[in-house]
Amino acid sequence: MPTTRARLGRRPSSSSYSSTITTIVFVSLCVLGVWLLTSTSVVPPKSTSRTATTDSTSSSFTSTIMNAHKTISNAVKPTPVFKDSQGDLPDDALKTGDANRPQDTSEIDKLQTDVSSDITKDSGGGGGGDALNVNVDQSLQGNENVKPEMEKKNVNPVVAENAQGLHGTESVDEQEKQKQLETQTSEESSITHKQEAEQITAATGKTTTGKEKAEEDVSLDSGNDAHGVATDNTKNLLSDHEQQKRLEQHQQQEDDQMQQKQKQPEEHTQGVTSKDQIKHDEAPLLKDVKIQNDHKAPVNLTNNPPVLKNENNKTEMIVPKESKESKKAWSTQADQSVNQKERRTVGKNNQDSSVPEQNWQLCEVEALADYIPCLDNEDAIKKLKSTKHYEHRERHCPQEPPTCLVPLPEGYKPSIEWPTSRDKIWYHNVPHTLLAEVKGHQNWVKVSGEFLTFPGGGTQFIHGALHYLDFVQEAVPDIAWGKRTRTVLDVGCGVASFGGYLFERDVLAMSFAPKDEHEAQVQFALERGIPAISAVMGTQRLPFPSGVFDLVHCARCRVPWHEEGGALLLELNRVLRPGGYFAWSATPVYQTLEEDVEIWKEMSNLTVAMCWELITIKKDKLNSAGVAIYHKSDTNECYDQRKQNKPPMCKQDDDPNAAWYVPFNSCMHRVPSKETERGYRWPVEWPERLQTPPYWLNRSQIGIYGKPAPDDFKADLEHWKRLISKVYMKGLGISWSNVRNAMDMRAVYGGFAAALRDLKLWVVNVVNVNAPDTLPIIYERGLFGIYHDWCESFSTYPRTYDLLHADHLFSQLKKRCKIVAVMAEVDRIVRPGGKLIVRDDSATTKEVENLLKSLHWEIRKTIYQNQVGILSAQKTFWRPNATAAPT
C-alpha cells in the first residue's frame, strides 16, 4: 500500500510538470508564430522539423526552457531593417508594429547563397539590378512561399519553424550576435555596390588595377545607396513617420518604373556580349546596372534612354529615340537644296541585305595614292563645256561609287603626332616637292632630309603665324580670339598654318583650297593635323549654312572678289555671321602697283554697296604686309537706305541655308530682325557657348529626340558625356592620345565633339543631307562641320583621319546606297593605324564587322546588347597584293 500511495502521489507531480512544459512551449510557439507573420528577414527552412514530445529527458527539458526564454527575449527586441540591393526598404520592413527579429548568422549566409544562386540563374551569371530586386523580394516573402510547401508535406508550419529555433545552438552571447548582424548588413550593401561596378567593368572589357580598385572601393563605399541617397548603416531603425515616408517613396518609384517599362519595347531583355571577354547569355544587363552616385549613371548602348533619377527621385529619360514628330519640324538639305542633282537613286538594287565575300582590288586611276573619287572623275571633267569658273575643281561624283582600295605611297610611315606634326611631317607620306620649290622662299614648306618642314606659315606671315594673329587682334580688339571669335573660315588656305596656330588661341578654323592648284596643299594641312577640305569657290555654294562663321580670312588667296558683280564675295557674305569680320590680307591692301590700285578701287565700291564697313587698314612692318578688316552689318538699315539695289537683295523664296549642289545666286539676304531668329544677336562667349542652348531654340519646337529643343540639346550633351566616359574611353581598346583628326560621320547637335573638348583633337561634324538640318546649332555652340551625303565620297585626300565615328549611320545608308562602297570610302580616308567606332543595330554592325575583316582591319572590341552593337576597329597597313607593313 505505501508503494501504491507513493506511485499515486507522484502522478499529480508528473502531470504538473507536463502542464508547465506544455504552457511554455505553447507560449513560445505563439510568440514565434506572430513574429513569423510579420518578419521579412527570416527564410523558413525547407526541411521537415521534429515535433516536441512530453516525455523529454531532464537535460532536454532544461535546454528547451533556456532556448524558449531566449526566443521570447529576442522576439521583443528591435531589429535592424534590411535594405534591398538598390538601397530601398522592402515593403514589409516598413510596416509598423512589432519589430522584426534577425535570423542566426547561418541563416543569413543561407539567404545570401540562395539569392546569389537565383541571380546567377536568372541573369546568366552577371546579375542585373532588376534580377537582384526580384530574388531578394521573393526570398524575403518566405511566409507565403513556404506555408503551401509545408501543407503539402502535412507538417505544421509553426511547429516546423519553432523546431529550428528551439534546437539551434547559441555559440555567442546576444550582444555579440547583434553586432555581427549589423556588420553583415553593412557588408551586404558594400558587396552590392561592388558587384555593380564589376558589371560595368565586365561589359566594357576593362581590367582594374590594384590602385584603381582601391579608389573604386572608396567611391562605392562612401555611404550612398544606389540612388545617391546618403545612408548610415549603423543606424537602421526608423521611426513610424520615416517608415511611412519611405513606403510612399518606394511605392511612387515602383509606379514610375512600371510606367517606364510599359513605354519601352518588350524585346530589350537580352544580355550584353563583349567579344573575347563576355560570352553571349552570360553578360550583365547594362541598362539594369545601378551606379551609386548620379554622376556615375548607367551607360545605355541602345537607342533607349539611360534611366536616371531626378531631384524628385522620379524616372527621367536622357536621350530617347529620334522622334517621328521632329522630322516634320526640321528641314533637311535634301529639301532645301531644290537644285540638288539626282544621284544615288533609292532602290532595291542598292540595298545590301547580305554581305558577300569581297575580292578587294587596288584602284587603277591616274591619281593613284591621292585618289579622291568626286574630284578625280576624269570622264566627267572631260565633258565639261567650260572651266572658266573652276568647274573642273568642283565635285563630279561617279555614277557608281568605287569599291576599290587606294594604294599606300611607297615608304609610308605612321603619322607624326601633334603638336610636333604642325612643324614637320614624313616626306614619304606626302611625297610632293613642287610646293617646296615654288613657295620655299616664303617659308611655306621645305624639304629637310626625310621630313617636310613648315618654318613660317604663309606668304603674309613668313616670320610666323602667332605674330600675325596678334597683329590682327591689335588692329581690331573686338575680334577677341577664343572669346568672341571662335569659328573661322580660311579661304585659299595654303598649308593652313593660319588655322594651325589658331588652336593656341582656342579658335577652330575650317580651311579649304582646291585640289592641285598648289600641289597637295590641303593634304599637307591634314597630315600636319590641321582641319581642311578640298573645295573651290567656282559656281556652287560652299557646303555650309548661312551666317555661321565669326570671321572669314583670306591671305593672298588670289580670289577675284570684285569680278562678275562680286559673286564670290557675296558667297562669303552668306556664310559670315551678321556682325562678323572679313580679314583681307593681299597686295591690293598695301601695294601701289597699277593692277593692285585698280582691284582696291573696285573692291572698295563693292564692299560699300554690300554695306560692309571698312574698320581699319593696318601695315605689318615685320612681314612687310598689311590687312584690311571689314565688318558685316548686323541690321537692315543700310540695305534700306541704298540708292541702288546693286548687288540685289535676294528674293524671299531664296533659302540662304540651302547649300548642297546649289549654284551661286549673286544677291544678299536680309539680316534677321526678330529676336527669336537665328543671327539676330551674337552667341555667348566661348567656352560658355559650348554648353549653352542657342537662344533661338524655343521650347515650342520639338527636338530631334522628342523633347522641347533646348532640353533636347542639353540631354544630348549629357548622353555623350556619359557614353564616352563609361564606354568609349575605357572599353573600346582605343589609345586616344594618338587621335588628332576626328570626324563624326552623323552628327546631330555636336554632342560627341563637345564631350571630347578637353582632348587634343578636333572633330568635323558631318550633317547628312537627308537628316534634320542641325548644322547651324553645331556652329552656334562654337564647333564646326559640313554637309555631306555618304552615298558619295568625301572631299578629302586619302589617309587623312585618325578616327571616324558612325552612330546609327550605316543602317540608314543601306536604304539608299551600297554599304560596300561606303566601307571602301571609310578605308580610303582613314590612316593606317586609324580607328572606326560604329554604333548601330546588331545586324548592320555585324555586316560592317565582316567587311572590316575582309579589309584586314583589326577588330578591337565588339559589344552587343538589345539588338544594338558597338564596334571599334583599327586599320592596318594591308593592301591587296601588298601586305608588308612598314617597320
Side-chain angles (χ1 to χ4, degrees):
M1 290 295 295
T3 303
T4 304
R5 280 197 296 268
R7 289 178 179 176
L8 291 174
R10 284 196 297 270
R11 291 182 66 85
S13 177
S14 175
S15 174
S16 175
Y17 280 121
S18 299
S19 176
T20 302
I21 293 173
T22 303
T23 302
I24 293 174
V25 172
F26 178 78
V27 170
S28 61
L29 292 178
C30 290
V31 173
L32 285 176
V34 172
W35 174 71
L36 288 170
L37 292 175
T38 60
S39 172
T40 61
S41 304
V42 177
V43 178
K46 299 180 180 180
S47 60
T48 308
S49 301
R50 294 167 295 181
T51 59
T53 62
T54 59
D55 54 346
S56 303
T57 62
S58 176
S59 59
S60 176
F61 169 77
T62 303
S63 176
T64 300
I65 295 298
M66 292 178 63
N67 283 312
H69 173 73
K70 291 184 178 181
T71 299
I72 295 171
S73 300
N74 290 334
V76 296
K77 279 186 178 182
T79 304
V81 181
F82 290 96
K83 291 189 174 185
D84 65 13
S85 64
Q86 295 187 22
D88 291 331
L89 296 167
D91 292 344
D92 292 344
L94 293 172
K95 294 179 180 178
T96 59
D98 294 338
N100 300 324
R101 170 191 177 280
Q103 68 274 32
D104 293 337
T105 305
S106 59
E107 293 175 332
I108 296 176
D109 294 339
K110 185 177 187 302
L111 172 59
Q112 291 177 333
T113 302
D114 291 342
V115 171
S116 299
S117 177
D118 289 342
I119 293 172
T120 305
K121 184 188 302 180
D122 292 345
S123 64
D130 289 347
L132 185 60
N133 295 341
V134 170
N135 287 296
V136 169
D137 291 341
Q138 290 175 348
S139 297
L140 292 175
Q141 294 171 356
N143 297 341
E144 292 94 320
N145 295 342
V146 176
K147 187 173 180 180
E149 182 179 348
M150 293 297 183
E151 290 174 350
K152 291 179 182 179
K153 297 183 180 181
N154 298 320
V155 179
N156 187 316
V158 178
V159 176
E161 290 301 323
N162 189 41
Q164 177 76 10
L166 293 179
H167 295 284
T169 302
E170 297 288 342
S171 59
V172 293
D173 59 21
E174 204 61 39
Q175 182 177 0
E176 186 65 23
K177 179 179 176 182
Q178 179 72 14
K179 184 177 180 180
Q180 290 179 358
L181 182 59
E182 292 176 353
T183 303
Q184 180 68 33
T185 303
S186 176
E187 290 175 352
E188 287 177 354
S189 176
S190 176
I191 290 171
T192 298
H193 294 313
K194 291 177 182 178
Q195 287 174 341
E196 294 163 357
E198 289 169 358
Q199 289 174 345
I200 287 289
T201 302
T204 58
K206 175 188 173 184
T207 57
T208 307
T209 63
K211 182 178 179 181
E212 292 172 340
K213 180 73 174 176
E215 294 174 351
E216 185 179 72
D217 289 346
V218 170
S219 174
L220 293 174
D221 294 335
S222 59
N224 286 358
D225 65 10
H227 298 296
V229 180
T231 60
D232 187 349
N233 289 327
T234 65
K235 298 178 182 180
N236 288 314
L237 294 179
L238 299 177
S239 65
D240 292 349
H241 174 72
E242 291 172 332
Q243 291 174 352
Q244 184 63 28
K245 184 177 180 181
R246 285 291 187 93
L247 178 60
E248 293 173 354
Q249 292 178 349
H250 186 70
Q251 186 63 40
Q252 180 63 40
Q253 178 183 335
E254 289 182 342
D255 292 342
D256 293 340
Q257 290 177 347
M258 183 61 68
Q259 294 176 5
Q260 179 64 23
K261 289 180 180 180
Q262 291 175 352
K263 293 180 180 180
Q264 294 180 352
E266 296 269 329
E267 73 244 16
H268 297 298
T269 57
Q270 301 300 320
V272 183
T273 301
S274 179
K275 186 178 179 182
D276 300 329
Q277 182 136 359
I278 303 176
K279 295 181 180 179
H280 190 63
D281 294 331
E282 291 186 354
L285 300 177
L286 287 190
K287 69 183 183 64
D288 291 333
V289 177
K290 301 293 189 298
I291 304 301
Q292 184 179 3
N293 297 315
D294 287 344
H295 69 279
K296 293 182 179 180
V299 179
N300 193 325
L301 308 184
T302 71
N303 270 347
N304 288 334
V307 179
L308 301 180
K309 301 295 176 182
N310 60 19
E311 55 196 6
N312 297 322
N313 200 35
K314 292 188 177 182
T315 300
E316 183 177 18
M317 293 187 298
I318 296 302
V319 180
K321 292 182 178 180
E322 293 188 13
S323 169
K324 293 182 180 179
E325 290 77 8
S326 68
K327 295 181 179 179
K328 303 176 183 178
W330 295 80
S331 59
T332 69
Q333 273 298 307
D335 297 331
Q336 293 169 327
S337 303
V338 294
N339 295 313
Q340 177 183 352
K341 294 182 180 179
E342 290 293 333
R343 304 174 185 268
R344 309 304 161 270
T345 58
V346 179
K348 295 182 179 180
N349 293 335
N350 286 338
Q351 297 183 10
D352 284 346
S353 58
S354 62
V355 179
E357 185 70 22
Q358 292 301 312
N359 183 22
W360 299 104
Q361 301 291 333
L362 291 178
C363 297
E364 297 180 359
V365 291
E366 185 177 347
L368 297 175
D370 295 336
Y371 180 45
I372 305 176
C374 288
L375 298 181
D376 291 319
N377 187 354
E378 298 297 333
D379 291 339
I381 293 174
K382 291 177 182 178
K383 296 177 182 179
L384 293 175
K385 296 180 179 180
S386 171
T387 59
K388 178 182 178 181
H389 298 101
Y390 287 84
E391 291 90 344
H392 59 301
R393 301 302 181 198
E394 295 179 331
R395 290 173 59 85
H396 303 281
C397 298
Q399 289 298 320
E400 287 295 327
T403 57
C404 57
L405 304 182
V406 177
L408 295 176
E410 184 177 353
Y412 183 88
K413 296 181 180 181
S415 299
I416 296 174
E417 294 183 9
W418 180 269
T420 306
S421 62
R422 185 175 60 186
D423 300 324
K424 65 178 182 180
I425 62 175
W426 295 113
Y427 163 76
H428 288 292
N429 287 12
V430 190
H432 300 293
T433 59
L434 179 61
L435 194 61
E437 296 170 3
V438 175
K439 296 291 185 179
H441 67 287
Q442 296 177 351
N443 279 353
W444 277 37
V445 57
K446 293 183 177 182
V447 180
S448 179
E450 60 180 350
F451 299 104
L452 292 170
T453 61
F454 305 88
T459 305
Q460 300 302 97
F461 36 91
I462 58 177
H463 295 292
L466 287 177
H467 166 78
Y468 178 75
L469 294 176
D470 294 338
F471 162 71
V472 171
Q473 181 163 303
E474 290 172 1
V476 181
D478 189 50
I479 288 176
W481 299 122
K483 293 183 179 180
R484 185 181 188 273
T485 300
R486 167 65 180 174
T487 57
V488 170
L489 180 66
D490 188 17
V491 183
C493 59
V495 294
S497 291
F498 176 76
Y501 282 92
L502 274 174
F503 281 109
E504 295 196 15
R505 300 293 185 263
D506 215 359
V507 174
L508 280 178
M510 176 64 77
S511 304
F512 77 92
K515 184 179 182 182
D516 289 340
E517 288 307 303
H518 282 134
E519 186 184 36
Q521 54 187 326
V522 169
Q523 191 174 15
F524 282 130
L526 288 161
E527 184 69 19
R528 297 174 69 190
I530 302 170
I533 61 170
S534 292
V536 65
M537 299 193 72
T539 65
Q540 297 176 349
R541 288 179 176 178
L542 297 171
F544 309 114
S546 67
V548 292
F549 290 103
D550 303 335
L551 181 144
V552 177
H553 174 256
C554 165
R556 288 291 286 271
C557 55
R558 303 182 66 84
V559 177
W561 301 117
H562 58 287
E563 293 182 0
E564 299 189 7
L568 302 183
L569 196 63
L570 289 171
E571 173 60 6
L572 291 191
N573 184 73
R574 183 185 71 86
V575 299
L576 181 62
R577 190 183 300 276
Y581 293 98
F582 173 58
W584 185 38
S585 180
T587 54
V589 175
Y590 57 89
Q591 289 186 1
T592 57
L593 297 176
E594 182 178 355
E595 181 183 9
D596 291 328
V597 171
E598 185 63 26
I599 292 175
W600 175 257
K601 181 179 179 180
E602 294 189 31
M603 188 70 168
S604 297
N605 293 335
L606 176 61
T607 53
V608 170
M610 292 173 57
C611 294
W612 281 17
E613 178 186 2
L614 178 61
I615 301 297
T616 186
I617 300 176
K618 190 170 183 179
K619 301 287 183 67
D620 180 9
K621 295 181 180 179
L622 178 64
N623 289 306
S624 300
V627 62
I629 301 178
Y630 298 87
H631 178 259
K632 178 181 176 179
S633 176
D634 54 3
T635 69
N636 292 309
E637 183 178 356
C638 176
Y639 297 148
D640 296 335
Q641 294 177 353
R642 291 190 309 166
K643 296 180 179 179
Q644 294 182 342
N645 187 29
K646 187 178 180 180
M649 302 303 295
C650 297
K651 297 180 180 179
Q652 291 185 352
D653 61 354
D654 188 293
D655 186 352
N657 294 311
W660 188 243
Y661 290 116
V662 174
F664 283 149
N665 192 1
S666 298
C667 61
M668 295 186 299
H669 296 90
R670 295 183 66 84
V671 174
S673 57
K674 297 181 180 179
E675 293 185 4
T676 56
E677 289 182 292
R678 179 172 70 87
Y680 178 79
R681 65 171 182 259
W682 201 264
V684 298
E685 284 192 353
W686 178 265
E688 287 77 15
R689 68 192 279 187
L690 179 68
Q691 303 186 52
T692 304
Y695 69 89
W696 40 269
L697 282 182
N698 59 75
R699 300 191 62 83
S700 62
Q701 183 180 10
I702 300 175
I704 303 301
Y705 303 110
K707 290 185 176 182
D711 297 339
D712 234 30
F713 176 95
K714 294 179 180 178
D716 177 76
L717 177 59
E718 293 303 316
H719 162 73
W720 283 111
K721 283 182 177 179
R722 291 180 181 127
L723 186 62
I724 287 174
S725 64
K726 298 293 183 182
V727 179
Y728 283 25
M729 288 295 171
K730 303 176 181 179
L732 296 184
I734 293 176
S735 175
W736 288 87
S737 62
N738 299 329
V739 176
R740 173 62 183 173
N741 304 0
M743 176 190 291
D744 191 358
M745 298 177 71
R746 182 180 172 269
V748 179
Y749 296 119
F752 172 80
L756 295 172
R757 183 230 166 181
D758 294 332
L759 300 184
K760 299 298 182 180
L761 56 80
W762 50 266
V763 180
V764 58
N765 295 275
V766 177
V767 172
N768 289 253
V769 296
N770 63 326
D773 187 3
T774 55
L775 194 53
I777 298 176
I778 292 172
Y779 275 95
E780 191 79 4
R781 69 188 306 176
L783 304 174
F784 63 179
I786 190 171
Y787 294 122
H788 185 60
D789 182 358
W790 284 110
C791 291
E792 303 176 358
S793 72
F794 193 74
S795 294
T796 189
Y797 281 87
R799 305 171 302 280
T800 49
Y801 282 88
D802 299 308
L803 182 139
L804 299 185
H805 176 249
D807 181 32
H808 289 83
L809 170 69
F810 297 109
S811 56
Q812 296 190 11
L813 289 177
K814 287 196 303 180
K815 303 173 184 177
R816 303 191 300 114
C817 49
K818 295 181 178 180
I819 193 171
V820 174
V822 179
M823 293 309 300
E825 175 66 6
V826 168
D827 183 85
R828 186 184 71 85
I829 67 180
V830 174
R831 294 170 171 171
K835 295 90 176 175
L836 170 68
I837 300 176
V838 176
R839 183 168 174 261
D840 219 312
D841 65 70
S842 297
T844 302
T845 305
K846 191 63 180 177
E847 290 182 29
V848 172
E849 181 181 356
N850 291 336
L851 283 168
L852 290 173
K853 288 179 179 178
S854 70
L855 287 164
H856 293 254
W857 283 47
E858 178 186 352
I859 307 301
R860 305 301 298 272
K861 189 72 66 176
T862 55
I863 303 174
Y864 290 95
Q865 173 199 350
N866 301 338
Q867 301 180 8
V868 174
I870 288 184
L871 175 149
S872 69
Q874 185 171 15
K875 181 179 176 180
T876 66
F877 283 82
W878 177 86
R879 296 290 86 181
N881 303 321
T883 58
T887 58

